[in-house]
Amino acid sequence: PAAGNATVVFYQDDAYAGVTTDHIKFWDLDVDFDTPANSTISTPQEVNVTAFTSIFDGTAFNNLTQPGGQDIDALQGIVMNQAQYKKMPGYNMCVFTFVIDVDPTAGEQAALRWYEFRQTADGMPWTMHQEGTFASVDGTHYWHGSMMIDTQGNIGMGFSAMGNNATGNGPDQFVSSYYTGRLSTDPLGSMTIAPQLIAAGAANIPGSERYGDYGKCDIDPSDYKRMYFINEYMSATGPARADVVGRFQIAPNFTNDVGIIDITAPVDGTLTASENVTVTIRNFGTADASNIPVSYNIDGGTSVDEVYAGTITPGGTFDYTFTGTGDFSTEGQTYNIAATTNLVGDEDTANDPYNEDVTHIFANDIGVTAITGPLSGQGLGIESISITIENFGAVSQSNFNVSYSIDGNPPVVENVTGPVAPGASIPFTFTTQGDFSAVGSYALVAQTELATDSVVGNNSVNGTVVNFTCFNETDNTVQPVGPNLGDVTDATLTYTDDITIDDVNVTVNIDHTWVGDLEIRLISPAATEVVLFNQTNGNSDNFVDTVFDDEAAGPITAGTPPFTGSWTPDGNLSDFDGENSVGDWTLRITDFANGDGGQINDWTLQLCGTSALGVDDNTLGGGDLIILNQGNDQFHVSLPTTEITDPLVLTVTNMLGQRVFNYSLSNETGLGYEYNLNMSYMSSGVYIVSLGNSKQRSTKRIVVE
């Protein structure tokens, strides 16, 4: 898709809370990787569709009964892997599928609901071209589908099928792999190809109800006709749980069929007014192709028409270079090359054209892409500033300046000797270090200062460094763990130190045989729960000085009991970031098996962060921070003061502690600081507005409606 038209698709069932009509939703993404804050996501487009029921057994995993009684997952509630997109002549199309229940009685029958949506052009609304339900006539379950589009607009779909005579779902059949499909000229809404067996399952999927999340249908790039579907089943060897790949084709093979499949020249770089244009011609047909008319244009301009006089055998390719060159001489411009074949008697014109964007890269374009140091942590002081510099341009760069600034203070400027080759990145550490010794948050800006830089928008990167305080509390109360199925042990620590959390670490000492019986989770005063350990490592014993730390080198699942040392937990302790520390923290240990028991000897909770933002912390430099609500989520921020003249940083954070706005203010009149803050683009809720520097800061809360 063109820039800004990457689409996310999802569906909504009227059985969901707050949903009144079954519908499909589309969002368009426009991601700016150079300046992420410029990225946008559209409001969703909603398209009502024929009613469906997509819920099995209250969204549980055990839904479809295999012969013999073992249930497996219907994979409900999600568009299956994956929604496919393709540009066709005159329109764009997408196809996708998900499982629905077509049995109106108390029983269940899984079927595949599938859709084709179209756009008349990039950026235009999606409209439903066709929808269909692919279901068996005898109750056999069809589900776990994956769709693909070929060069002619035909659609193929791989899927799983299973029958169970005892439940009225067709004759007994183990989970097996199939495909179906339709030609683009077939009646809308129907898969016209009867189910075709790829591989028959030899046994039931054992052990667990989870099944086959990652099936996938794809296209062969050599002809854009042959399709491949990978799926899960029980092979006859063993039998064993395995993958199987089937290859099938919906499109007919034509005698005369050629097309462009690639534009290999020019490529992004320093370009001229007379560049050679080279295209790759493929013979998709079953007969030799000779004297093939080819053409190209640049940005829809005058067509260059020529003839390749040679012969291409069936399935073969030829790289043809036009004698008529193209003008790509404007620095910084992206050109669209549209090439096509024009063979008389071509039986499939859909694969004739091909488009490629080519950019004349700026000669001089360099920027900072990352601030790699210092990292937020406890006890920061005088620290080195490290960055990554990338050369986006076409010319090697040497002896240019870079700078950094902390909290809007005057920048530190230094020279980079280089060289930095085109497309290359280098690390750089400033000789002059920065002062992060005061507890708090620092706004750090680093940028290149190349005088001849053609693109200033990618010069700088903003970062935040937090020097936080850590508080440790230990609970030495010995409590039993287990030994019965379902036994729960709660160990509680109470924190009175008031900080906004930036980091959490947990240390445990637990004696217990068969640690694979245990689940360990941490629960905050705000009721956020994070799983630290979830029933792994089987019959091994004990936790000895086991540290759960998001920054550890390896996951706890890769460790061996007693897990001494630091490990990343099964969940993310960062889920607590932004919460307040005050209150009861609970370590909950659940035993999921009978027979083995033990005890918790002690545990330690380390909470790190900065002082909590308070509504009374509003004086700075002898003045009060004043925020006036001017309506429509517009706020006037002011700090009258003559005592402070250095730049201050205005920061807005949400209640999760996430920074949503950052701006450096100057005391231009000598009488104070002022700023008109627009919050109309933010979600409703409470936000913290802060103005200050690393030494002092004033804060207030605002409410965005």
Side-chain angles (χ1 to χ4, degrees):
N5 290 275
T7 302
V8 174
V9 60
F10 194 56
Y11 69 85
Q12 297 275 269
D13 191 328
D14 62 5
Y16 300 165
V19 179
T20 58
T21 304
D22 295 340
H23 64 270
I24 308 295
K25 282 186 175 179
F26 297 93
W27 295 261
D28 282 341
L29 301 179
D30 188 355
V31 183
D32 186 334
F33 291 102
D34 295 324
T35 309
N38 292 340
S39 302
T40 60
I41 183 169
S42 70
T43 56
Q45 177 196 350
E46 294 187 7
V47 181
N48 292 337
V49 296
T50 301
F52 57 79
T53 299
S54 66
I55 295 178
F56 293 76
D57 306 302
T59 71
F61 288 133
N62 50 332
N63 316 119
L64 309 180
T65 305
Q66 302 178 87
Q70 174 68 49
D71 287 348
I72 58 174
D73 191 2
L75 300 167
Q76 59 191 302
I78 192 166
V79 172
M80 296 309 296
N81 185 32
Q82 69 186 54
Q84 295 287 355
Y85 170 96
K86 183 170 177 60
K87 283 182 179 286
M88 300 295 290
Y91 64 92
N92 305 328
M93 67 183 290
C94 72
V95 296
F96 54 92
T97 182
F98 52 87
V99 68
I100 64 172
D101 184 3
V102 294
D103 186 345
T105 70
E108 294 173 331
Q109 181 185 346
L112 294 157
R113 173 60 63 86
W114 61 272
Y115 298 91
E116 178 189 346
F117 279 80
R118 291 187 177 185
Q119 283 179 316
T120 56
D122 291 337
M124 299 301 292
W126 287 100
T127 59
M128 187 171 66
H129 181 67
Q130 60 176 324
E131 60 177 341
T133 298
F134 188 63
S136 70
V137 296
D138 61 5
T140 296
H141 295 299
Y142 293 168
W143 85 111
H144 191 214
S146 182
M147 301 181 72
M148 179 47 65
I149 312 161
D150 70 15
T151 184
Q152 299 170 11
N154 307 312
I155 297 172
M157 181 165 67
F159 64 97
S160 298
M162 179 192 68
N164 187 341
N165 184 60
T167 58
N169 295 112
D172 285 347
Q173 178 187 9
F174 299 127
V175 176
S176 301
S177 184
Y178 283 82
Y179 77 89
T180 182
R182 56 171 280 111
L183 295 171
S184 61
T185 55
D186 286 342
L188 296 179
S190 61
M191 290 288 168
T192 55
I193 297 175
Q196 302 294 307
L197 179 66
I198 293 174
N204 283 330
I205 303 292
S208 171
E209 65 272 8
R210 296 308 301 277
Y211 166 71
D213 296 33
Y214 308 110
K216 177 69 161 63
C217 193
D218 222 316
I219 198 78
D220 191 328
S222 69
D223 62 7
Y224 296 98
K225 291 180 182 178
R226 287 176 292 185
M227 299 183 184
Y228 296 81
F229 177 54
I230 185 170
N231 197 15
E232 181 183 9
Y233 80 135
M234 292 294 292
S235 72
T237 304
R241 198 165 183 164
D243 290 331
V244 60
V245 179
R247 185 179 73 184
F248 59 95
Q249 182 172 322
I250 308 299
N253 289 317
F254 295 119
T255 303
N256 300 306
D257 183 14
V258 297
I260 305 293
I261 63 168
D262 199 6
I263 298 174
T264 58
V267 296
D268 295 350
T270 303
L271 303 177
T272 67
S274 57
E275 292 288 335
N276 289 326
V277 176
T278 301
V279 300
T280 302
I281 309 169
R282 179 180 293 280
N283 183 358
F284 296 103
T286 59
D288 289 351
S290 304
N291 299 314
I292 303 169
V294 289
S295 65
Y296 80 88
N297 68 71
I298 302 171
D299 293 335
T302 303
S303 178
V304 176
D305 302 310
E306 298 182 6
V307 174
Y308 167 56
T311 298
I312 306 176
T313 58
T317 62
F318 182 81
D319 289 339
Y320 177 78
T321 300
F322 288 85
T323 58
T325 59
D327 184 355
F328 302 88
S329 59
T330 302
E331 191 178 37
Q333 183 169 329
T334 296
Y335 299 86
N336 179 259
I337 308 172
T340 187
T341 56
N342 301 288
L343 181 67
V344 175
D346 195 312
E347 297 171 78
D348 180 13
T349 58
N351 57 18
D352 291 358
Y354 189 88
N355 286 264
E356 188 79 48
D357 287 336
V358 177
T359 301
H360 184 156
I361 297 175
F362 286 103
N364 300 308
D365 182 13
I366 201 163
V368 175
T369 57
I371 298 173
T372 56
L375 301 177
S376 297
Q378 180 185 16
L380 298 181
I382 306 301
E383 306 288 340
S384 296
I385 314 296
S386 298
I387 60 176
T388 301
I389 302 169
E390 182 173 347
N391 186 355
F392 304 103
V395 175
S396 180
Q397 299 293 341
S398 301
N399 297 313
F400 56 90
N401 288 342
V402 293
S403 68
Y404 76 83
S405 174
I406 302 175
D407 287 336
N409 290 313
V412 173
V413 181
E414 295 184 7
N415 185 261
V416 179
T417 56
V420 187
S425 296
I426 65 166
F428 177 80
T429 299
F430 288 87
T431 302
T432 304
Q433 297 177 306
D435 186 358
F436 301 89
S437 55
V439 173
S441 180
Y442 297 81
L444 182 59
V445 180
Q447 65 180 26
T448 53
E449 307 275 356
L450 182 67
T452 58
D453 200 312
S454 299
V455 183
V456 297
N458 57 14
N459 288 2
S460 64
V461 164
N462 297 328
T464 301
V465 178
V466 181
N467 184 3
F468 44 68
T469 302
C470 292
F471 298 92
N472 293 339
E473 294 286 347
T474 300
D475 178 12
N476 293 307
T477 304
V478 177
Q479 297 187 65
V481 176
N484 301 311
L485 171 65
D487 283 351
V488 176
T489 303
D490 280 351
T492 302
L493 286 170
T494 301
Y495 266 76
T496 57
D497 295 300
D498 188 3
I499 61 171
T500 299
I501 294 171
D502 284 296
D503 190 41
V504 176
N505 302 300
V506 183
T507 303
V508 300
N509 282 285
I510 301 172
D511 294 332
H512 192 284
T513 52
W514 288 74
V515 296
D517 297 349
L518 300 182
E519 180 201 74
I520 307 172
R521 62 178 60 211
L522 180 65
I523 306 172
S524 73
T528 301
E529 299 188 13
V530 171
V531 175
L532 306 179
F533 180 85
N534 188 17
Q535 304 176 73
T536 58
N537 300 93
N539 61 350
S540 299
D541 304 337
N542 303 335
F543 298 84
V544 177
D545 293 330
T546 306
V547 180
F548 295 98
D549 181 355
D550 279 350
E551 286 71 49
I556 190 71
T557 53
T560 301
F563 304 109
T564 302
S566 294
W567 305 91
T568 59
D570 283 333
N572 298 304
L573 288 165
S574 60
D575 290 351
F576 298 118
D577 289 359
E579 292 189 6
N580 188 269
S581 60
V582 175
D584 291 337
W585 291 77
T586 300
L587 187 75
R588 176 165 294 167
I589 308 170
T590 304
D591 198 326
F592 282 94
N594 288 313
D596 288 87
Q599 65 183 27
I600 177 170
N601 299 312
D602 61 75
W603 71 290
T604 299
L605 177 62
Q606 182 184 66
L607 301 181
C608 303
T610 55
S611 298
L613 297 171
V615 293
D616 298 325
D617 179 22
N618 294 320
T619 60
L620 176 67
D624 289 331
L625 178 62
I626 301 170
I627 303 180
L628 299 178
N629 188 340
Q630 299 178 317
N632 298 320
D633 295 324
Q634 307 290 321
F635 300 87
H636 181 74
V637 181
S638 63
L639 176 70
T641 179
T642 57
E643 298 181 17
I644 301 176
T645 57
D646 292 337
L648 299 179
V649 176
L650 177 66
T651 302
V652 181
T653 57
N654 60 24
M655 296 310 290
L656 296 177
Q658 298 166 325
R659 186 187 302 266
V660 298
F661 180 82
N662 198 74
Y663 191 76
S664 179
L665 292 180
S666 299
N667 189 346
E668 296 178 355
T669 64
L671 302 176
Y673 302 81
E674 289 189 276
Y675 189 77
N676 290 317
L677 178 63
N678 176 14
M679 294 290 287
S680 62
Y681 63 96
M682 296 302 301
S683 301
S684 60
V686 178
Y687 293 82
I688 303 297
V689 179
S690 174
L691 183 65
N693 53 33
S694 62
K695 307 301 181 184
Q696 51 186 331
R697 187 170 296 276
S698 291
T699 63
K700 276 193 174 181
R701 289 185 174 94
I702 62 172
V703 177
V704 173
E705 298 177 350

